[in-house]
Amino acid sequence: NAGVTQTPKFRVLKTGQSMTLLCAQDMNHEYMYWYRQDPGMGLRLIHYSVGEGTTAKGEVPDGYNVSRLKKQNFLLGLESAAPSQTSVYFCASSKGLLADFGPGTRLTVT
Amino acid sequence: AQSVAQPEDQVNVAEGNPLTVKCTYSVSGNPYLFWYVQYPNRGLQFLLKYITGDNLVKGSYGFEAEFNKSQTSFHLKKPSALVSDSALYFCAEKAAGNKLTFGGGTRVLVKP
């Protein structure tokens, strides 16, 4: 049981490049979330999903897209990266009230 | 709109002294409230939750939290802090749609 895993762990992008962050969970959880963590701002919800094939916007969705084609995977895409998207990204999943978090992806956009 | 506030960016405490980390929430009705801890370069770990019932909730590593509906607060406490408790602590609330919303975080520094 690997829990929640995130790929990659680190990435450096140039402005305008695109990339996809992968989140995978093996706990059969219905709900999955993407957050970004910035100093002094806590974790802010980007997008979330309440089940396979469904996604919804969170607090800071602009500049990001997501897909949940399979129940166990939740992808976060940056179509054209900007320096403001430099952050640590956390994925989480939950079935009931408790959420399990991945280890994070540190993304730097230069 | 829901929001979670942690009014202190940092809390400094001497080892062995009581530790309190403050949190206030704004969701109406019966909130689901949580505390998570983050150690350096790690993901978030669950500490404790309040769903219903007793206002004093006990969690992992000797932590507890007191739910106060009249003050809309959910402060985290530990009677005797350890140096190893130094970390970043987040309060969170869960509302309709299963959205989990976090406060800004409070850094705890426990000095020997």
Side-chain angles (χ1 to χ4, degrees), chain B residues 84-106:
Chain B
S84 57
D85 293 328
S86 299
L88 190 55
Y89 290 81
F90 289 99
C91 183
E93 65 179 3
K94 185 171 263 192
N98 263 285
K99 284 200 300 183
L100 187 61
T101 304
F102 287 85
T106 299

Side-chain angles (χ1 to χ4, degrees), chain A residues 13-85:
Chain A
L13 287 179
K14 294 187 188 308
T15 298
Q17 287 184 319
S18 64
M19 78 163 295
T20 300
L21 282 67
L22 171 64
C23 176
Q25 53 94 6
D26 60 0
M27 298 171 284
N28 201 35
H29 285 174
E30 291 295 331
Y31 308 111
M32 296 188 75
Y33 310 85
W34 274 108
Y35 293 89
R36 58 177 290 172
Q37 182 180 22
D38 302 294
M41 305 197 69
L43 275 77
R44 292 181 291 170
L45 183 63
I46 305 171
H47 286 281
Y48 65 105
S49 168
V50 299
E52 180 179 325
T54 70
T55 62
K57 294 181 179 180
E59 185 184 350
V60 287
D62 294 341
Y64 305 95
N65 56 74
V66 288
S67 64
R68 183 102 181 266
L69 298 179
K70 293 183 179 180
K71 187 176 185 179
Q72 62 268 34
N73 295 337
F74 195 31
L75 279 63
L76 178 71
L78 286 73
E79 291 185 347
S80 179
S84 61
Q85 294 177 305

Side-chain angles (χ1 to χ4, degrees), chain B residues 7 13 21-22 49 53 65 72 74-75 77 82 88 96 108 110:
Chain B
V13 64
V21 186
K22 296 179 180 177
K49 69 181 185 295
T72 62
F74 188 55
H75 300 332
K77 300 181 180 184
L82 302 172
L88 190 55
V108 170
V110 182

Side-chain angles (χ1 to χ4, degrees), chain B residues 16-98:
Chain B
N17 282 1
L19 170 64
T20 298
V21 186
K22 296 179 180 177
C23 172
T24 59
Y25 67 92
S26 66
V27 69
S28 59
N30 297 317
Y32 298 148
L33 300 167
F34 307 83
W35 276 101
Y36 285 84
V37 61
Q38 184 182 32
Y39 297 100
N41 300 313
R42 303 287 295 275
L44 273 71
Q45 297 178 29
F46 169 76
L47 274 181
L48 51 79
K49 69 181 185 295
Y50 172 81
I51 306 302
T52 186
D54 289 340
N55 290 339
L56 186 64
V57 178
K58 294 191 183 297
S60 307
Y61 312 120
F63 284 93
E64 57 190 28
E66 186 170 8
F67 173 69
N68 187 317
K69 191 168 186 175
S70 63
Q71 296 184 4
T72 62
S73 67
F74 188 55
H75 300 332
L76 181 70
K77 300 181 180 184
K78 186 169 184 179
S80 178
L82 302 172
V83 172
S84 57
D85 293 328
S86 299
L88 190 55
Y89 290 81
F90 289 99
C91 183
E93 65 179 3
K94 185 171 263 192
N98 263 285

